[in-house]
Amino acid sequence: MALFGIYGRHEIDACPINNSVNREMMIKIGKRDMKAVCSNYKINKIIGRFHSALEHTFLWIVDAEDPHLIQKLAMEGGVASFNEVKIVPLIEFENVVKMLEKMDN
């Protein structure tokens, strides 16, 4: 399992709340069959999708095989057309502790 955080943010005027073009795109994205979409981009599972409307930010956590394919999904899916997107490898806290303990040995 390889976990990645997909962080995004947009400006207030690009927000789907304020921008009808982006609103239509987000509604379309929300209605997609994500299992089919994910398999095309080697995303094994969506762990969670979190949004903060008034902060104009989002965080999706996915189990995926290739961050370059996550980037491709963001571009082809339209999310990157009005959001800054950052893809970050993640590790569970427990595994960080184990890694640190090994450093002391």
Side-chain angles (χ1 to χ4, degrees):
M1 177 166 77
L3 294 178
F4 295 92
I6 307 168
Y7 297 88
R9 68 163 299 281
H10 53 255
E11 296 299 326
I12 294 171
D13 61 341
C15 182
I17 293 171
N18 303 316
N19 184 300
S20 62
V21 172
N22 294 339
R23 180 169 43 250
E24 287 178 31
M25 182 186 314
M26 289 303 296
I27 291 169
K28 184 178 173 183
I29 290 169
K31 291 183 177 182
R32 285 187 188 145
D33 175 3
M34 289 308 291
K35 286 188 180 192
V37 171
C38 287
S39 67
N40 292 336
Y41 295 93
K42 296 186 179 181
I43 296 172
N44 303 317
K45 183 178 180 184
I46 297 175
I47 308 298
R49 300 188 291 179
F50 308 94
H51 292 248
S52 178
L54 297 180
E55 295 293 325
H56 306 283
T57 59
F58 68 88
L59 166 62
W60 288 22
I61 301 173
V62 298
D63 169 3
E65 296 178 29
D66 185 345
H68 293 99
L69 290 176
I70 297 171
Q71 175 181 299
K72 188 175 181 183
L73 170 62
M75 292 167 49
E76 291 178 356
V79 173
S81 68
F82 70 97
N83 286 288
E84 295 175 15
V85 178
K86 184 180 351 179
I87 301 162
V88 179
L90 300 174
I91 185 171
E92 292 180 337
F93 179 74
E94 293 79 9
N95 292 328
V96 172
V97 172
K98 288 176 186 175
M99 179 183 66
L100 296 172
E101 288 174 338
K102 287 180 183 178
M103 292 173 69
D104 281 342
N105 293 331

